[in-house]
Amino acid sequence: NARKERWAFRWRRLRRAFLALCGIWIATLVAALALGGLSFTATLLAGLLGMAVFMVLAIYPAAPRPRAEELGSASLPELAGSAELWLESKRRALPGPAVDLIDMIGVRLEQLAPQLATLDEGGPGAREVRKLLSEHLPELVGTYTRIPASLRGKPGPAGTTPSDQLVDGLSVISDQLEAMSLDLSRNDLDALATRTRFLESKYVDRD
């Protein structure tokens, strides 16, 4: 989903650049018809202007990246996607084992996203999800990235390295997201089990 969001933004950027290029060339053509033709220099300048505008609009602005402090203000239906995009932007700063956990957390977030849309914003479940994604997760990753790279592989007072502690923390968050998703779907699972037992008693047992 994070990659899809980035590519969707890039395609919108390219479409805007292409429309601007077409607009400049159409304006040049209209001017040429109105004035009875343009000089070679004017035509060349118009073509170069169109290409320059296209290149600038095709590159800028850069794809938006949510900041950690913005996660707390995201609406509940958008929170999972914003947290995934933010975590994806930190991938290069994290060790290899942590990257695997980032992928797993991304899967959990995609699974959780439609469930968050049905939650009451002020309910206890919403508060727990928001606290985990907008506080605990950014604080864990932010604390690790502030540690100098030369010290991340050295054991600390607890006997474990900062990289090991990061992996353990991300593993806990991944498990917690899975547990939250299961809790949110428990009512639906219970309802499905009840409906299945009803159908079996009504039709299978009768047969």
Side-chain angles (χ1 to χ4, degrees):
N1 281 345
R3 284 191 293 269
K4 288 179 181 178
E5 288 292 333
R6 285 197 297 272
W7 276 108
F9 180 84
R10 290 167 183 166
W11 281 117
R12 290 194 298 269
R13 195 169 56 191
L14 284 173
R15 184 168 61 249
R16 184 172 64 248
F18 180 74
L19 291 175
L21 175 63
C22 291
I24 292 174
W25 285 355
I26 291 174
T28 303
L29 178 61
V30 171
L33 293 175
L35 298 175
L38 295 176
S39 66
F40 173 78
T41 303
T43 304
L44 180 61
L45 289 176
L48 293 176
L49 175 63
M51 295 302 297
V53 170
F54 178 85
M55 292 179 64
V56 171
L57 293 181
I59 297 174
Y60 299 101
R65 293 183 178 181
R67 293 181 296 177
E69 54 269 22
E70 294 175 347
L71 295 178
S73 60
S75 65
L76 202 57
E78 298 174 347
L79 181 57
S82 297
E84 185 180 2
L85 284 171
W86 176 83
L87 194 57
E88 187 74 15
S89 68
K90 301 297 180 182
R91 173 185 291 268
R92 294 182 179 178
L94 305 182
V99 171
D100 295 336
L101 283 168
I102 286 178
D103 293 336
M104 180 59 66
I105 290 175
V107 172
R108 303 276 190 255
L109 290 173
E110 290 177 16
Q111 176 180 319
L112 190 64
Q115 296 175 302
L116 295 183
T118 64
L119 273 184
D120 178 15
E121 186 75 42
R127 288 195 297 270
E128 286 298 318
V129 172
R130 188 174 291 281
K131 193 174 186 65
L132 180 66
L133 295 181
S134 64
E135 295 182 23
H136 296 319
L137 178 60
E139 288 174 1
L140 174 67
V141 176
T143 301
Y144 175 81
T145 55
R146 287 193 297 270
I147 297 174
S150 60
L151 300 178
R152 294 175 184 174
K154 296 182 178 180
T160 57
T161 66
S163 295
D164 292 337
Q165 295 172 12
L166 174 69
V167 169
D168 292 341
L170 290 175
S171 179
V172 171
I173 289 177
S174 177
D175 293 342
Q176 188 63 25
L177 287 173
E178 184 179 21
M180 286 179 172
S181 179
L182 182 60
D183 288 341
L184 292 175
S185 62
R186 192 173 300 281
N187 290 336
D188 293 332
L189 292 173
D190 292 342
L192 179 61
T194 301
R195 174 59 59 180
T196 302
R197 287 195 296 270
F198 169 76
L199 293 174
E200 288 176 348
S201 64
K202 185 174 181 62
Y203 296 105
V204 178
D205 293 347
R206 177 181 299 177
D207 292 341

